Amino acid sequence: MNVTTLPAATVPRQREVDPAGRGTTTIRERVVAKVARQAVAERAESRELAGFLGRLRDGQAAGVRVRLSGNVVTVWLRLALAYPVPLRHAVGQVRGHVRDRVQELTGLSVRRVDIEVTRLERDRSLR
């Protein structure tokens, strides 16, 4: 087997560009909200979070709201949880998962994830 290598002078080189001259990437709040909503949906497959994607008692859809300040995001969630469930544990799982996924997928720093549990739904599998 013959392997041919090119001399270093013939290999095309990428131009060195100052990072500041490359441009910017803008991620809008609504995109971050969709990422956060998807992160909660990933957790909603578990029994303890089954109620999240339903409607809340006040008729509004389960909510996600975000605020961007530079590269830092704050997330507010409204969700319903299945009953009985250890609330602190369930909310902690959601908070950690949303924080990790938003940071991973957007590159933004998550300052905090506030969660309001608006309703507990009886777990129908226990009947």
Side-chain angles (χ1 to χ4, degrees), residues 1-47:
M1 171 183 209
N2 292 333
V3 177
T4 306
T5 59
L6 296 174
T10 62
V11 176
R13 300 187 84 156
Q14 291 184 351
R15 293 184 317 171
E16 302 256 344
V17 178
D18 178 25
R22 293 182 192 160
T24 61
T25 301
T26 303
I27 301 173
R28 300 200 184 274
E29 285 182 347
R30 69 177 181 255
V31 172
V32 178
K34 287 181 180 183
V35 170
R37 184 174 287 111
Q38 180 60 37
V40 175
E42 292 168 2
R43 280 297 193 205
E45 294 173 2
S46 68
R47 180 182 70 84

Side-chain angles (χ1 to χ4, degrees), residues 79 86 93 106 113:
L79 52 91
Q93 281 193 344
T106 66
V113 178

Side-chain angles (χ1 to χ4, degrees), residues 56-120:
L56 300 177
R57 278 213 173 144
D58 58 9
Q60 296 180 359
V64 176
R65 195 171 49 114
V66 301
R67 181 177 55 204
L68 275 171
S69 179
N71 289 331
V72 179
V73 63
T74 302
V75 180
W76 291 274
L77 302 173
R78 294 181 55 184
L79 52 91
L81 295 178
Y83 176 84
V85 63
L87 295 176
R88 187 176 298 230
H89 174 72
V91 169
Q93 281 193 344
V94 172
R95 180 177 286 116
H97 188 69
V98 168
R99 181 189 60 242
D100 293 347
R101 292 295 281 166
V102 168
Q103 287 180 168
E104 175 186 359
L105 296 174
T106 66
L108 298 171
S109 176
V110 178
R111 174 178 292 144
R112 70 177 194 259
V113 178
D114 290 340
I115 299 176
E116 177 185 355
V117 177
T118 60
R119 187 175 73 223
L120 295 176

